[in-house]
Amino acid sequence: MKSFKEDLMDAVALVADIERHLKINTLNSNEKNVLYSILLKEKKSDDCIISDVISISKLSRSTVFKTLKKLERLNLIACKQSTVDKRELVISVNI
């Protein structure tokens, strides 16, 4: 029977392989945090907005906004204006 440590090492290796496959292994920790926060929110509901990413990632608004712009330039995410609240951006992952 595998120990918890061995299971954890297998899980970390799996995540690293997935990141390499998706070509996100070069992202820094904030960029991965924001990307994973968007994915977590998308899994729970349809729309993800900036305030959701701030809440989930625990990063500052300015850090999240700057990181979203970079992820959008890399074509990893798409941002579009909300139809409900024109002041909000709806964010989705392009992977």
Side-chain angles (χ1 to χ4, degrees):
M1 189 165 133
K2 281 185 167 182
S3 69
F4 176 75
K5 184 177 179 180
E6 290 170 325
D7 286 340
L8 185 58
M9 289 187 296
D10 289 345
V12 169
L14 178 62
V15 169
D17 286 343
I18 291 169
E19 288 179 349
R20 268 191 302 280
H21 177 72
L22 296 174
K23 297 182 175 80
I24 61 172
N25 56 319
T26 58
L27 299 178
N28 68 33
S29 61
N30 282 346
E31 293 160 353
K32 287 180 185 178
N33 188 355
V34 168
L35 186 64
Y36 291 152
S37 296
I38 298 165
L39 286 169
L40 287 171
K41 179 60 180 172
E42 284 186 329
K43 183 177 181 181
K44 291 181 182 177
S45 67
D46 293 334
D47 290 340
C48 177
I49 58 175
I50 291 176
S51 55
D52 295 326
V53 179
I54 293 166
S55 175
I56 295 168
S57 70
K58 307 292 190 245
L59 296 171
S60 71
R61 185 172 187 81
S62 61
T63 299
V64 168
F65 191 76
K66 179 179 70 169
T67 304
L68 288 173
K69 290 300 173 194
K70 179 174 181 185
L71 295 175
E72 191 173 29
R73 275 194 316 275
L74 294 172
N75 201 33
L76 293 172
I77 64 166
C79 297
K80 64 179 182 181
Q81 191 174 38
S82 171
T83 56
V84 176
D85 183 349
K86 301 292 184 194
R87 297 170 296 170
E88 283 289 356
L89 290 176
V90 177
I91 309 156
S92 60
V93 174
N94 285 337
I95 298 172

